[in-house]
Amino acid sequence: MGLVSLGAGVAIGYFLGTKTGKEKLDAGIDRAKQTAQQTWEREDVQDFVAKASDTATKVSHDVAESAKKAASVASDSLKKAAEKADDAEEKVADVVDEAEETVAEKAEEFRAPQTKTTYNGDVISDPGQSTERKGTDWANEGGAKP
């Protein structure tokens, strides 16, 4: 098979390389050009080309109109989403304000003086006050002397 292909290639190359081969090739190209031109100029071909052109124009207009509608819908959706986000942002801000107020109230309650009961039932109204009781301090209650 390889030798047959090689032989055919050499024969075609030789033929095209000769003056007669070139003339026949040029004549074949000219005939193809003339046939193509005649085909192009036929009325049924021109009708088909006109219909194809009209269809392409209509389709491109339809696509452009659909793209405009899609862009409009997308724009409206984005506007609605932005409005909802603004509403949500306001709600979140309200919740944050309420949380800050609650935290501030609870912090104030925590800072307020609290009554604390010691292990033996004595009441200390201020956790920062002295731990002395009746002249002794708690570290020495167990019998340890200062």
Side-chain angles (χ1 to χ4, degrees):
M1 189 69 178
L3 288 177
V4 173
S5 297
L6 178 64
V10 169
I12 291 171
Y14 175 77
F15 177 74
L16 292 177
T18 64
K19 187 176 183 182
T20 305
K22 287 180 184 178
E23 288 172 357
K24 287 187 178 184
L25 180 63
D26 289 341
I29 291 174
D30 288 339
R31 279 194 307 272
K33 285 181 182 179
Q34 287 175 351
T35 303
Q37 184 64 33
Q38 289 170 353
T39 303
W40 180 254
E41 291 173 357
R42 284 181 24 203
E43 187 175 333
D44 59 334
V45 172
Q46 288 303 309
D47 288 343
F48 179 78
V49 170
K51 287 178 184 177
S53 177
D54 291 343
T55 301
T57 301
K58 183 181 180 304
V59 168
S60 67
H61 288 203
D62 291 347
V63 168
E65 190 63 32
S66 295
K68 286 179 187 177
K69 287 178 183 177
S72 176
V73 168
S75 176
D76 291 344
S77 296
L78 287 174
K79 286 177 185 175
K80 288 178 183 176
E83 290 171 3
K84 286 182 180 180
D86 288 343
D87 292 345
E89 184 178 343
E90 289 175 16
K91 289 178 183 177
V92 169
D94 292 343
V95 170
V96 168
D97 290 343
E98 288 179 31
E100 287 176 348
E101 290 173 11
T102 303
V103 168
E105 290 172 6
K106 296 299 179 184
E108 189 60 36
E109 288 175 16
F110 183 75
R111 283 190 210 113
Q114 297 177 351
T115 304
K116 180 177 178 184
T117 305
T118 61
Y119 70 95
N120 63 357
D122 290 340
V123 174
I124 301 173
S125 62
D126 182 10
Q129 80 180 21
S130 171
T131 58
E132 292 185 42
R133 183 175 56 96
K134 298 178 187 172
T136 63
D137 77 6
W138 291 4
N140 293 328
E141 280 189 3
K145 307 265 182 200

